[in-house]
């Protein structure tokens, strides 16, 4: 298998593996952090020792997840330096600054307040302890902000200028980078969907105690389940709303990603939103010949509304984007061939500019080459594209991952709403519980589904932007280091073993702690 | 009894906290092993800084420029409407020169 895959394939696979593994821990930190803070707030307001023990219980599980997730993200930075060195240099401070801020904030905020949260129950006031718990969660959320800013810049590069002398991007506007509309939407959608994972986790653990009829944990489980369901319902509705806004932004700045998500080959006005269709998961469809995916069930005008906020809006399909099209405002989007030609012109101008500088040619000549470079720079990355089919992401992954994410997200809304409905009705079942047994079993089954939903979202975001590392500026084939595929393949398998072992350790410690329940949580002095 | 200073209190918080850990001991062991593997094995043996090794300090821009220029796609035969974006009659533009 090694010989069939190139270095860029292995580097991508390794990055995906690391990011997927890292993302198993981050959303639970963000989601469970919120719920444990809410529970401790109940303790602060009521002074009831029960809430203190409940908060301590969830904080222990938070601690296990936090400890397991520590430093897994650093491996991604190693990969940038080794596998993606052209990208790392080309991107310059744009990527480095948010990551540096993230590192500093994460280290100082989290290391300070996590310590107070765990060690400070008997040593600091209730108010200070509560503040520390919230600040632990806020610190983690701010960390996520900076990571998502860096990721968003790759998808929608703004606030920067390319310097052909240093071969790096330089930040022109910190605020444009930090608060680009794309980053804001991505942050809201990602963080709010992480709260859903936290809520599903709390509900699943609580359901397990109720299923096992553990008397010592019964009250904690019932009350936590209710809080989890409230947070979960708010978050899953919030994730749907922010997801809609994210899709709108994608339609504006990454239309090919939207076309791949929808398997939309030929666009137009009044475009319907695909519910389901048969897109072969193992094969890129023949988008040039097929008008649309077979067995398609769709909501009339739905995609036009989602992508343009107008029932009749124009949405380009894969073929339109390749051929070029005219937008609603009358401006023309060039064809793939035009962009590829301009990209090659930009790269040639870069070569000529640097040669002119090195050979001491006149300033005017160098300036003219630079002008050509800058005139065509928005299509720089297209100069590496050999065939326009490279510009089409792998449609099956985008299509199905998007449907899995939306389908499971909708299921979570119904699930949390039903729990709260039963809670509101308070009519006990035959077992004496408010919740039927099937619902408690479903709560546990839904826990891995929450992770699948979240990872599917990332698959859409990252597969959908292919072939780009930086949208329109640098494709993966130009970003990757000139290294042998066997070297990257070796570390890929090494990581797979390492990550699997770490995951087994974490799940083992977590399950043991859940089985111990409230026993190890200290009573108030 | 003299009042404890802030720094003394902070020290006691960490000192007592670490001393009384139960589950935390296991977690710190896992963190320690993980950090050792990441920084002492992976970083040292498997993840060298590619540019530092291949370009040398101060020559990174030249190296990356060379890499990015040499990977440029070959041009297909030109269509007439794309013929020239160049400021020079025979200068840089869409007429690729290798």
């Amino acid at each position: 298998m090694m010989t069939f895959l190139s270095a860029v394939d292995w580097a991508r696979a390794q990055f995906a593996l690391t990011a997927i593994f890292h993302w198993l821990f981050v959303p639970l930190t963000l989601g469970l952090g919120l719920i444990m803070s809410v529970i401790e707030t109940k303790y602060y307001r009521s002074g009831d020792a029960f809430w203190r023990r409940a908060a301590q219980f969830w904080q222990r599980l938070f601690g296990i997840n936090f400890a397991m997730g520590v430093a897994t993200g650093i491996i991604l930075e190693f990969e940038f330096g080794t596998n993606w060195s052209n990208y790392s240099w080309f991107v310059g401070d744009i990527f480095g600054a948010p990551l540096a801020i993230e590192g500093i904030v994460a280290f100082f905020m989290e290391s300070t307040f996590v310590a107070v949260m765990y060690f400070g129950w008997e040593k600091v006031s209730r108010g200070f302890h509560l503040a520390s718990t919230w600040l632990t969660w806020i610190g983690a959320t701010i960390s996520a902000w900076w990571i998502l800013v860096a990721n968003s810049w790759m998808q929608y590069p703004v606030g920067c200028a390319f310097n052909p002398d240093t071969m790096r991007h330089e930040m022109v506007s910190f605020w444009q980078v930090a608060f680009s509309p794309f980053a804001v939407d991505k942050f809201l959608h990602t963080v709010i969907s992480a709260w859903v994972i936290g809520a599903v986790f709390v509900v699943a653990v609580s359901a397990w105690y109720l299923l096992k009829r553990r008397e010592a944990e019964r009250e904690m489980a019932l009350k936590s389940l209710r809080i989890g369901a409230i947070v979960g319902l708010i978050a899953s509705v919030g994730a749907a709303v922010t997801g809609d806004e994210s899709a709108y932004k994608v339609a504006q700045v990454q239309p090919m990603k939207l076309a791949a998500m929808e398997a939309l080959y030929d666009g137009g006005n009044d475009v319907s939103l695909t519910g389901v269709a048969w897109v072969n998961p193992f094969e890129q469809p023949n988008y040039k010949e097929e008008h649309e995916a077979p067995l398609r069930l769709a909501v009339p005008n739905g995609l036009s509304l989602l992508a343009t906020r107008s029932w009749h809006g124009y949405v380009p399909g894969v073929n339109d984007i390749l051929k070029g099209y005219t937008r609603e405002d009358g401006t023309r989007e060039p064809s793939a061939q035009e962009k590829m030609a301009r990209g090659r012109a930009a790269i040639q101008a870069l070569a000529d500019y640097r040669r002119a500088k090195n050979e001491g040619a006149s300033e005017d000549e160098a300036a003219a080459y630079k002008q050509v470079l800058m005139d065509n720079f928005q299509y720089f990355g297209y100069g590496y594209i050999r065939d326009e089919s490279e510009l089409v992401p792998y449609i099956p992954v985008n299509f199905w991952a998007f449907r899995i994410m939306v389908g499971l997200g909708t299921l979570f809304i119904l699930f949390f709403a039903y729990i709260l409905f039963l809670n509101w009705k308070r009519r006990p079942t035959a077992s004496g519980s408010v919740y039927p047994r099937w619902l408690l079993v479903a709560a546990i089954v839904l826990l891995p589904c929450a992770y699948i939903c979240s990872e599917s979202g990332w698959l859409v975001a990252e597969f959908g932007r292919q072939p780009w590392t930086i949208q329109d500026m640098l494709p993966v084939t130009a970003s990757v280091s000139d290294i042998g595929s066997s070297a990257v393949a070796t570390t890929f398998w090494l990581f797979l073993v390492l990550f699997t072992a770490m995951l087994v350790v974490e799940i083992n410690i977590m399950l043991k702690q859940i089985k111990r329940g409230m026993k190890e949580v200290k009573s108030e002095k | 009894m003299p009042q404890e200073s802030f720094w003394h209190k902070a020290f006691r918080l960490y000192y007592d906290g670490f001393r009384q850990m139960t589950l935390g001991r296991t977690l710190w062991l896992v963190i320690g092993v993980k950090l050792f593997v990441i920084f002492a094995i992976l970083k040292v043996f498997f993840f060298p800084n590619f540019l530092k090794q291949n370009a040398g300090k101060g020559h990174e821009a030249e190296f990356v420029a060379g890499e990015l220029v040499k990977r440029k796609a070959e041009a297909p035969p030109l269509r007439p409407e794309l013929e020239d974006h160049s400021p020079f009659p025979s200068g840089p533009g869409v007429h690729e020169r290798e």
Side-chain angles (χ1 to χ4, degrees):
Chain A
M1 192 162 112
M2 278 192 195
T3 52
F4 298 136
L5 296 178
S6 63
V8 71
D9 294 324
W10 280 112
R12 283 183 60 204
Q14 187 181 79
F15 200 88
L17 176 72
T18 318
I20 286 172
F21 179 75
H22 182 56
W23 191 248
L24 292 175
F25 303 106
V26 177
L28 189 57
T29 297
L30 299 175
L32 188 54
L34 172 65
I35 294 174
M36 75 185 186
S37 303
V38 169
I39 290 177
E40 193 178 330
T41 305
K42 290 195 81 93
Y43 165 61
Y44 177 80
R45 294 178 64 144
S46 67
D48 184 346
F50 161 78
W51 286 115
R52 173 180 157 132
R53 295 185 69 226
Q56 285 178 319
F57 170 77
W58 291 114
Q59 283 169 7
R60 286 175 86 82
L61 301 191
F62 174 90
I64 295 168
N65 181 66
F66 191 84
M68 293 297 158
V70 162
T72 51
I74 287 176
I75 301 172
L76 293 169
E77 295 189 33
F78 294 172
E79 289 172 30
F80 281 131
T82 303
N83 300 344
W84 302 100
S85 60
N86 289 342
Y87 162 80
S88 296
W89 185 263
F90 189 78
V91 79
D93 297 335
I94 307 284
F95 210 70
L99 293 187
I101 297 172
E102 188 272 336
I104 292 165
V105 169
F107 181 78
F108 284 107
M109 269 190 93
E110 292 173 28
S111 62
T112 304
F113 296 114
V114 162
V116 175
M117 185 172 83
Y118 285 111
F119 300 158
W121 279 103
E122 315 296 339
K123 294 185 185 293
V124 298
S125 69
R126 260 172 35 189
F128 186 65
H129 194 278
L130 177 68
S132 299
T133 303
W134 276 105
L135 285 166
T136 298
W137 172 71
I138 290 169
T141 306
I142 293 173
S143 288
W145 168 269
W146 292 113
I147 297 293
L148 294 170
V149 161
N151 180 280
S152 298
W153 185 86
M154 295 160 78
Q155 319 245 5
Y156 179 49
V158 288
C160 60
F162 178 66
N163 182 341
D165 294 309
T166 60
M167 289 299 294
R168 309 194 85 173
H169 275 85
E170 291 166 359
M171 199 180 288
V172 173
S173 166
F174 174 79
W175 298 108
Q176 272 187 27
V177 173
F179 295 99
S180 91
F182 203 92
V184 172
D185 279 333
K186 186 176 266 288
F187 170 77
L188 290 175
H189 184 56
T190 309
V191 168
I192 290 174
S193 61
W195 298 351
V196 178
I197 288 195
V200 175
F201 178 83
V202 168
V203 169
V205 173
S206 303
W208 186 80
Y209 288 132
L210 295 176
L211 275 173
K212 290 283 171 189
R213 298 176 185 276
R214 298 258 299 235
E215 280 310 310
E217 286 83 19
R218 184 179 162 77
E219 187 186 2
M220 189 274 294
L222 282 170
K223 290 182 174 170
S224 296
L225 197 148
R226 186 165 175 271
I227 291 172
I230 292 170
V231 171
L233 182 60
I234 294 169
S236 46
V237 171
V241 172
T242 53
D244 172 68
E245 193 57 35
S246 289
Y248 176 69
K249 286 286 183 324
V250 164
Q252 313 307 308
V253 302
Q254 295 176 307
M256 185 61 93
K257 183 191 279 186
L258 185 76
M261 283 156 60
E262 279 297 303
L264 179 70
Y265 310 147
D266 296 313
N269 296 93
D270 301 296
V271 181
S272 53
L273 180 68
T274 304
V276 287
W278 173 242
V279 174
N280 187 342
F282 308 107
E283 192 177 74
Q284 181 78 319
N286 184 0
Y287 49 83
K288 292 215 167 172
E289 303 298 327
E290 289 178 30
H291 175 61
E292 64 174 30
L295 305 174
R296 183 168 176 263
L297 290 176
V299 181
N301 294 61
L303 190 59
S304 282
L305 183 64
L306 181 143
T308 66
R309 299 294 189 241
S310 156
W311 286 104
H312 308 293
Y314 177 81
V315 186
V318 172
N319 294 320
D320 304 301
I321 296 166
L322 294 179
K323 287 179 198 154
Y325 60 95
T326 305
R327 296 189 200 87
E328 293 274 310
D329 62 7
T331 56
R332 200 178 125 62
E333 182 69 18
S335 70
Q337 293 297 335
E338 287 174 71
K339 291 177 185 174
M340 286 155 67
R342 291 187 63 181
R344 290 191 297 269
I347 298 169
Q348 186 61 56
L350 172 70
D352 290 338
Y353 171 77
R354 291 190 65 87
R355 182 182 44 74
K357 290 288 257 186
N358 289 340
E359 291 174 359
S362 72
E363 286 293 314
D364 285 350
E365 189 182 347
Y369 286 125
K370 189 174 180 180
Q371 191 58 47
V372 177
L373 170 63
M374 291 309 160
D375 287 348
N376 295 290
F377 192 74
Q378 63 175 317
Y379 302 116
F380 186 85
Y382 286 87
Y384 298 100
I385 305 297
R386 285 168 170 76
D387 185 285
E388 62 180 32
S389 64
E390 292 172 32
L391 294 167
V392 184
Y394 192 59
I395 292 170
V397 169
N398 287 278
F399 180 83
W400 287 113
F402 182 64
R403 266 138 203 90
I404 289 169
M405 176 185 71
V406 173
L408 286 172
T410 309
L411 181 63
F412 292 135
I413 294 176
L414 299 173
F415 172 68
F416 290 126
Y418 188 58
I419 288 178
L420 292 176
F421 171 72
L422 291 178
N423 217 280
W424 170 71
K425 256 188 22 176
R426 289 187 184 281
R427 189 180 297 162
T429 60
S431 64
S433 165
V434 173
Y435 308 107
R437 186 179 166 78
W438 71 263
L439 189 69
L440 299 176
V441 173
I444 296 168
V445 173
L446 281 179
L447 181 56
C449 295
Y451 283 94
I452 290 169
C453 179
S454 189
E455 299 285 5
S456 297
W458 276 113
L459 289 184
V460 172
E462 302 304 305
F463 263 92
R465 70 162 139 141
Q466 290 306 313
W468 307 111
T469 31
I470 308 171
Q471 184 73 35
D472 295 348
M473 284 192 197
L474 204 65
V476 286
T477 47
S479 306
V480 76
S481 307
D482 188 9
I483 44 175
S485 61
S486 58
V488 195
T490 305
T491 45
F492 173 87
W493 293 115
L494 190 71
F495 278 6
L496 190 63
V497 172
L498 180 71
F499 291 159
T500 307
M502 276 168 59
L503 196 59
V504 169
V505 169
E506 193 219 23
I507 292 173
N508 193 30
I509 296 175
M510 187 72 91
L511 289 178
K512 266 188 190 161
Q513 200 58 36
I514 291 169
K515 279 180 189 159
R516 284 178 188 155
M518 301 280 273
K519 264 186 264 174
E520 292 193 6
V521 179
K522 290 178 222 160
S523 296
E524 192 174 13
K525 282 183 184 170
Chain B
M1 191 175 161
Q3 206 176 2
E4 273 187 310
S5 71
F6 168 80
W7 296 111
H8 191 249
K9 279 184 191 169
F11 171 76
R12 296 295 309 182
L13 176 87
Y14 281 92
Y15 181 75
D16 293 344
F18 280 116
R19 224 162 37 101
Q20 291 163 9
M21 278 190 314
T22 49
L23 171 66
R25 285 177 208 275
T26 311
L27 297 180
W28 274 108
L29 178 68
V30 173
I31 291 172
V33 169
K34 188 167 58 172
L35 291 177
F36 176 78
V37 170
I38 288 175
F39 287 102
I41 299 176
L42 292 179
K43 178 66 185 153
V44 173
F45 297 105
F46 294 99
F47 287 96
N49 185 318
F50 184 84
L51 284 183
K52 206 179 262 181
Q53 279 192 346
N54 292 276
K57 197 157 175 58
H59 301 286
E60 293 94 341
E62 202 58 47
F63 182 84
V64 172
E67 286 286 312
L68 293 187
V69 168
K70 81 177 182 195
R71 293 186 197 188
K72 189 184 80 159
E74 295 295 324
L78 289 173
R79 286 185 289 153
E81 69 270 21
L82 300 174
E83 282 242 317
D84 202 10
H85 293 178
S86 167
F88 304 124
S90 58
V94 290
H95 294 288
E96 286 84 352
R97 293 179 285 132
E98 290 301 320

